[in-house]
Each structure stands twice: as C-alpha cells, then as structure tokens.
Amino acid sequence: MKHPASTPPGVESQRRALLRLDRIGKDYAKIESRGGRLRLVWDLLRGRGAASVFRAVDGVSFELRRGQSLGIIGENGAGKSTLLKIIAGVIQPTRGSVEVNGRVGALLELGSGFHPDYTGLANIDLAAALLGITPSEIATRRDEIIAFADLGEHMNDPIKTYSSGMVVRLGFAVATALDPDILITDEVLAVGDESFQKKCVKWMESYLERGGTLLLCSHSMYHVQKLCAHALWLKDGKVVSYGEAVAVTQEYLAYHEEKTAAPKRPLAPAVAQSAGIYAIERFTLAPEGEMPMGGDLRLSGEMHSPDGREPVVLIGIVRADGTPVYGVATDMDAAPPRRVAPNRYAFDLVLPRLPLLPGKYSIRAHALDPEGVRLFHTVEHSLVITGVTREMGFVRLPHRWEDK
Amino acid sequence: MEQTLQPQAGAMNADGGSGAARRNRALFANFFRRELTARYLGSITGLAWALLHPLALLGVYHFVFTTVFKAGRFGGASFLVFVAVALWPWLAAQEGLQRATVSIASYGGLIRKVAFPHELVVYASVAATLVLQFAGYVAVLIVLGVAGESIRFEGLLLALPLWLVMATAVTGIALLLAALQVFVRDVEHILMPLLMILMYLTPILYPLTLVPEGMRPWVAANPFGWLVARMRDALIDGRLALQWGDAVAMLVAVATFGAGRWVFRRLSPHFEDFV
C-alpha cells in the first residue's frame, strides 16, 4: 500500500534531505490573568520566554527525503498542526532547528493564507508575491490556476463571499500550480464537489509519480497508508512512533481499540445516497452466517460505478471488537473487478481453508474510487467461525513442532 | 530556495538574502497597492475623501478662529495658511498611526498561515497613508496659493525631506503600537484620545510665542513642534537653510524607528498565537 515509486532524482538531492527537523519544540504562552498579556509582552521584550507555557510540540526530529512522503497522525490537540506550521515557517520553534531545502507549498486549513477582502485573482497574485514570484512570472501560471480552480465569474469577487468549498478549490489550485517540492496538507485531500475531488486525487497521484513529496496530516489511516511511505504518530506533542506507514498506523489503531473500551466500534455511516457514487450493490458470503474453521469462504458481489470506470473493492475482516485482522484490495493484487454492464462491475474472492480461529467476525466490502483513494460505501456481514480449539489469537498460523 | 530557521533567529527579517529581498519588495508592493486601493475603493467619493476631510477641518478652523475669535495674522501669513501648513502633517501622522496600529489584525488570516516578515504590513500601511496625505498636502497648498494666500512653493524642497523625517519616526512608533496592539487590545482605544490631547499641546493652532513664558520649554520639547516650526519656516517664510536641529531630529527619528523595529521583531514571532 505505498504510493508509486518515485522517479530517481539527482544523486545530489538524494544525499541531501529535503527537510530535516532536529529536536523541535514549541511552547505557547499561557495567559492566566488579566494583566497576563502585559506581563508576557514584558517577558518577551526582555528576551525571556513566557513564565507559564504549554508545550505544544516537544523534541520532534525526523528527516524527509525526496519522494518519501510522510503522514502525521495523532489525536486532536496532539500538536500536528503546530508541527506543520513550524515546517511551513509560519511559526518559529522555541527549541531545535528546521532545515528546508526546497519550496514548501502549504495548504493549512481552509485556503492557505488568503486575504478575505481580496478577490480570487488578487489572492493569486498575493500568493505569488508570498513566494517571491513577480506578477509577470505568475502570468502564465495564473491561467493554469484559474482553469484548475474552475470558479468562473467568482474569480472577481472577494474571497469572503466564497463558500468554504470554493476557497479550498482556489487554495488547492494555487498550491499545486506553484509546483512545490514538499506539499503540506492538513486533511484537505478530498475537497469540493465530486468532479473537483477527482481532479485533486488525480493531481496528487501524478505529483507523487513525479517524485513530489507529501507531508500529510490526516485522521484517515487509509490515506496515510495509501499515500505515505512513512508515518509519525504524535501524542501530547511528542513522537510516540515513527517508521513505516503501515506499522505506525496499525499501532495507532491498536491504541485506539484499547482506549475505546466499548466492544463495538461504530462503523462509518454508509453513504449510498444516490446513483452518483461508487457503491456495493450486492455482497454475499458463501457459506452464509456460520462456517467451520478451515473451510473455504467465497465472497462475491457487484458494484455500481457512476462514471463507468472500474472501481476498487477492498475486502476487510475484523473481529467483533473492531480489531482489524486482514484487508486486501483489488488494486493491490492488480485484479480489477470484471465489467458486467456499462456501470456495473462484479468481483469474486475465494479465501481457501480460512485460518480464522473460532469466534465472531465481520466481513466488510468497501467501494473505492478507481484511484483507490476515497472510500464511498461499505457493506458488512457478520460471520461466526465454529470449531473447538484452545489456540489463542485470531488466526491459525502454519506451524510445526520439531522433534530433534 | 534555501532557508534555515533557527529559534529566535531572524528567519523573518526583512533583510535576508537577495531572494528574500526580492520577495519582500514584491510583497510590499502588493500590500501597498492593496492599501491604496482598498482604502477609498469602497467609498462613493473615492480618493476625493482624502482631500475632503482636511479641507472641511480647515474650513471649520477658519470659521472658529478667524471669523469667531478674530485671530489675526501670525508670522506674516493668514491664520488659515498658518494652520494649514502644520495641521496637514499632524493629520497624516495621526492617521498613519491609527491605521498601522490595527493593521496586523487585518492581516491575521495571512499571519496565521503563511511565513512572511510581518513588519511589511506596517510599512505598507504607513506608506500608503503618508503618500496619500502628502499628495493632499501639496494639493491644498496649491488651492491656497490660487486663492491668493502667500505660499512659498520653493519651501516644498525642504518640506519633502522634513516629511521623510516624520515618516521615519512615525513608522517607528507605528511598529511599536502595532506590535503591542496584538497583545493588548487597549492600545487602539487609548491612542485616539491621546492623539487628540497631543494635538492641542503641539503649537499647531497657535504659535509658540503665545504660550506663557514658563511653559514654553515644555511645549517646545515636543518633537512634533519642531517639525511644525520647520514647515512654517519653509513654506511661509521661504527659509530653506538647514539647521543643526535638523540633524538632531533626523537622529531622533532614526532612533525611534530602530527602537520600534526592535520591539516589533521581539514580539512578532508570537503574533500567530494572538492575532
């Protein structure tokens, strides 16, 4: 589940890290009384830190090389946004150093740094000026941005009259047209309406293929695994875990399983509202409901594709308590679903001699877009594995006791 | 493009490498243009408002002092010219300070999300005000000249550098106020009455010679009083010779600017959290 391998960049840029953070820390002043602000000003003027601080980020170090995207995960308030702001240069770290060797494009929250009173066009010029691009240089790119954002007449209206979706569209268009070496994004992968989301995902894929580097802050483990090679888990401003994306995200999910004592994890609501999305239309198990351990399980189903392109199916097995056991998608195995009608695709999956230990499981089928990025629809069946064994865990692993 | 951010170091400084300097020029130009157009674009009278306000004030002062109080001539000029020459720079400084004080807040969205030297916002705000006001100043002098008042237009040769000295000092104070305003919102509210009081304590509506002898040194110590006196020297009396006091004033202005910028740069890394 990694993004496509990057084209090999120059030897020089390979040796040098695109981004290096060394024991970064950021304190925020805590204002406790009415005179606290005055006191803070006085402390800052004397060159001292604030008397009472909140450590938003503490001792974070990592290195980013070209093409090695990084996902930053963690709960709300873990310091993710602060870390991104430090990397984008918006705030200076209280401790440690940041080294950036490339152009950083940041999409922080909605519309990265637009002035609400400026028109869309004026904001493009402002964004260019912020990057040191002169109005004449921006002229050619401006057309690209306008075309990508596709906001029509609204380009001449002040940003404050835009809907949040429109602001994000313009923000994405600006950030991408300036072709950053590192793109920092704050959970805005799928923005705007259906057709614009498609554009975003397409752009993101080609950006990664070109060797672009993504710094993604997301609550979607799926996106982190799909788009990033590495992941960093922040908790209370500190790094809990840093390494391969799949490993870190699983550790993070396991932590959440433990935290939510409730046995049942609420499933993301199925979003099959209209004919406009990729949806699972039929999903059956054979045998149904119950099967002996070690038997063959057959899954089959059909999907609706609104635009006729072939969607991705992701099959997941989870324990009744929500612990993921196994997941596999058609795009991982390069086994696309069969087209049975212009807007209909079918899939069949066999899991021979299913090694699940007795217990209650959920088998889920997820419909994803053809890029395999956005999850549209989920159908779930429960399955009881019967049998008697004293083995522990979820899965019987092939094993052998040797007598030497 | 390469940048290294050190804690407390000047990654945000306006004077980085040549790339940063170019970027800052482009950014300043953008902010400046924006300040000029946005200021009067929304109002029906447009740019004319920049002239109307001081003209109306001048009219009122003329009515109160010349018509009602029957004030005579001061230093060889009518009371109207006497006031106009001094009042304009004061109004320019006042507006410059007031606008700059709240300028950081109006760029809050940008400051929270993009890295750039925050002082450019203050520079653009002050520059836009002073440029407009200087244009208004010259226009009003021309109006008065055409109306038959005696104005020594060669005095503009001195008035312009004087205006620049004032701009330097005003920018320094503006940097200080703008930075403080981010943390303490009262600055904006204290400023208005304070400027009002200062205006009456400055010999703008009256000559220094009318002030009682014992209080005169206190009134004369006001740096703006010096500026007013020099403006009158130049534009009413046509005396263009430089004085030692001018050098002192320039030093004071530069020191004010330096101090204001020092405070601003100390505080600006923390704007993001408070703006």
Side-chain angles (χ1 to χ4, degrees):
Chain A
M1 288 230 247
K2 258 155 265 158
H3 64 78
S6 59
T7 46
V11 181
E12 196 267 337
S13 57
Q14 246 177 350
R15 224 181 310 124
R16 202 160 65 161
L18 208 50
L19 172 69
R20 180 181 289 125
L21 267 68
D22 186 24
R23 294 184 301 266
I24 287 296
K26 171 69 188 173
D27 295 347
Y28 277 116
K30 272 198 283 195
I31 304 294
E32 273 142 3
S33 61
R34 225 123 83 87
R37 283 167 169 259
L38 265 179
R39 225 203 123 79
L40 173 68
V41 168
W42 179 239
D43 284 340
L44 294 176
L45 287 181
R46 283 191 304 165
R48 308 208 316 198
S52 145
V53 295
F54 163 70
R55 292 199 161 187
V57 170
D58 196 13
V60 175
S61 306
F62 67 83
E63 236 181 58
L64 208 60
R65 291 183 177 277
R66 194 169 291 277
Q68 290 197 332
S69 297
L70 177 73
I72 297 177
I73 56 177
E75 290 152 287
N76 292 330
K80 303 187 296 286
S81 294
T82 306
L83 187 62
L84 292 191
K85 279 184 173 183
I86 290 173
I87 295 165
V90 178
I91 51 179
Q92 291 176 40
T94 315
R95 292 173 297 279
S97 66
V98 184
E99 191 190 324
V100 184
N101 298 306
R103 182 184 280 187
V104 178
L107 263 171
L108 299 174
E109 298 155 42
L110 290 184
S112 55
F114 286 144
H115 198 298
D117 294 335
Y118 284 38
T119 65
L121 283 175
N123 264 303
I124 294 176
D125 291 343
L126 173 66
L130 283 166
L131 283 165
I133 298 168
T134 59
S136 56
E137 284 174 299
I138 190 71
T140 50
R141 288 170 180 178
R142 191 194 276 129
D143 295 335
E144 267 174 54
I145 295 171
I146 292 168
F148 197 99
D150 193 20
L151 292 170
E153 288 300 301
H154 295 295
M155 285 308 282
N156 295 312
D157 297 334
I159 292 272
K160 62 183 171 194
T161 66
Y162 284 24
S163 71
S164 56
M166 287 158 73
V167 176
V168 175
R169 281 169 77 139
L170 187 61
F172 195 86
V174 169
T176 56
L178 301 171
D179 206 26
D181 296 308
I182 306 174
L183 181 67
I184 299 181
T185 122
D186 205 348
E187 197 86 71
V188 282
L189 265 180
V191 296
D193 54 32
E194 195 58 25
S195 67
F196 192 74
Q197 287 194 10
K198 230 174 257 173
K199 266 203 245 183
C200 290
V201 170
K202 265 222 182 86
W203 184 88
M204 199 68 81
E205 291 207 318
S206 80
Y207 174 72
L208 293 176
E209 265 165 39
R210 288 199 303 272
T213 311
L214 188 67
L215 204 62
L216 172 71
C217 180
S218 183
H219 288 289
S220 157
M221 295 308 116
Y222 181 76
H223 285 149
V224 172
Q225 291 181 353
K226 169 95 187 169
L227 297 167
C228 304
H230 294 112
L232 181 109
W233 173 13
L234 271 186
K235 185 169 186 286
D236 301 329
K238 295 193 178 82
V239 178
V240 178
S241 176
Y242 171 51
E244 232 226 303
V246 177
V248 175
T249 48
Q250 281 173 355
E251 204 182 324
Y252 177 68
L253 286 175
Y255 158 80
H256 270 282
E257 292 302 339
E258 237 168 80
K259 202 177 152 189
T260 46
K264 251 202 172 160
R265 191 173 58 159
L267 201 64
V271 282
Q273 324 106 325
S274 65
I277 62 160
Y278 301 99
I280 306 283
E281 294 200 323
R282 179 176 68 78
F283 178 47
T284 54
L285 303 183
E288 225 175 305
E290 192 181 297
M291 65 177 277
M293 181 180 172
D296 289 358
L297 179 64
R298 289 172 181 279
L299 302 89
S300 68
E302 283 186 349
M303 278 184 297
H304 172 75
S305 166
D307 56 1
R309 297 190 300 151
E310 62 183 44
V312 167
V313 200
L314 173 64
I315 302 293
I317 303 177
V318 297
R319 277 279 282 221
D321 66 357
T323 312
V325 176
Y326 182 67
V328 66
T330 49
D331 66 339
M332 296 172 196
D333 293 341
R338 304 183 312 278
R339 184 177 171 133
V340 291
N343 291 86
R344 241 176 135 75
Y345 286 83
F347 60 89
D348 288 279
L349 178 70
V350 184
L351 298 167
R353 294 187 298 286
L354 193 67
L356 291 178
L357 292 180
K360 198 173 173 198
Y361 296 86
S362 287
I363 314 291
R364 295 172 183 165
H366 307 277
L368 281 74
D369 61 2
E371 288 77 25
V373 173
R374 286 167 303 147
L375 194 156
F376 282 89
H377 185 213
T378 300
V379 174
E380 180 177 343
H381 287 301
S382 63
L383 178 70
V384 174
I385 306 285
T386 57
V388 180
T389 173
R390 288 176 53 217
E391 288 158 282
M392 285 164 286
F394 310 142
V395 188
R396 172 178 287 166
L397 297 178
H399 60 279
R400 177 171 72 232
W401 300 100
E402 304 219 320
D403 45 16
K404 282 199 172 163
Chain B
M1 185 177 129
E2 184 163 329
Q3 63 176 136
T4 304
L5 305 178
Q6 295 293 336
Q8 321 295 347
M12 301 292 212
N13 285 0
D15 42 29
S18 70
R22 202 178 60 127
R23 177 190 112 135
N24 290 342
R25 270 199 303 278
L27 207 48
F28 173 80
N30 189 299
F31 290 164
F32 180 72
R33 224 176 312 123
R34 150 88 200 159
E35 288 288 323
L36 278 189
T37 52
R39 195 155 299 184
Y40 301 104
L41 219 56
S43 60
I44 302 161
T45 46
L47 265 176
W49 184 243
L51 283 178
L52 274 176
H53 172 227
L55 273 180
L57 259 185
L58 203 60
V60 168
Y61 286 137
H62 181 64
F63 169 74
V64 173
F65 292 97
T66 316
T67 313
V68 178
F69 285 136
K70 310 239 182 323
R73 298 174 70 81
F74 294 120
S78 73
F79 180 76
L80 200 59
V81 172
F82 176 83
V83 170
V85 164
L87 184 63
W88 233 271
W90 174 267
L91 292 176
Q94 179 175 313
E95 195 196 328
L97 290 178
Q98 280 174 333
R99 285 192 185 273
T101 299
V102 292
S103 63
I104 295 293
S106 70
Y107 283 79
L110 221 51
I111 286 169
R112 273 192 301 271
K113 289 174 189 168
V114 191
F116 71 98
H118 302 148
E119 58 200 66
L120 291 179
V121 167
V122 178
Y123 296 156
S125 171
V126 172
T129 305
L130 294 188
V131 164
L132 278 176
Q133 290 285 359
F134 186 76
Y137 191 44
V138 173
V140 165
L141 291 178
I142 291 172
V143 167
L144 288 172
V146 168
E149 301 283 352
S150 68
I151 304 268
R152 305 288 289 267
F153 280 98
E154 72 271 22
L156 282 173
L157 288 178
L158 182 60
L160 180 62
L162 288 174
W163 201 279
L164 290 177
V165 172
M166 176 182 84
T168 309
V170 164
T171 306
I173 301 168
L175 284 168
L176 171 80
L177 295 175
L180 290 179
Q181 167 73 15
V182 174
F183 296 90
V184 189
R185 298 288 145 83
D186 313 50
V187 171
E188 172 193 358
H189 305 299
I190 298 169
L191 189 62
M192 183 62 180
L194 191 71
L195 286 172
M196 188 73 134
I197 292 165
L198 276 177
M199 186 184 114
Y200 286 107
L201 290 179
T202 309
I204 292 172
L205 298 174
Y206 52 87
L208 189 60
T209 48
L210 284 190
V211 177
E213 193 107 23
M215 295 162 79
R216 216 174 284 169
W218 296 101
V219 176
N222 179 348
F224 207 88
W226 164 85
L227 185 86
V228 163
R230 298 294 286 139
M231 287 285 184
R232 284 175 178 150
D233 281 350
L235 291 162
I236 295 176
D237 303 334
R239 270 185 283 142
L240 296 181
L242 291 177
Q243 303 171 354
W244 276 110
D246 300 345
V248 175
M250 221 154 83
L251 283 178
V252 169
V254 170
T256 306
F257 174 74
R261 198 169 68 152
W262 181 85
V263 169
F264 191 91
R265 288 190 172 177
R266 272 281 160 120
L267 299 180
S268 77
H270 304 271
F271 284 178
E272 177 264 348
D273 197 24
F274 289 91
V275 75

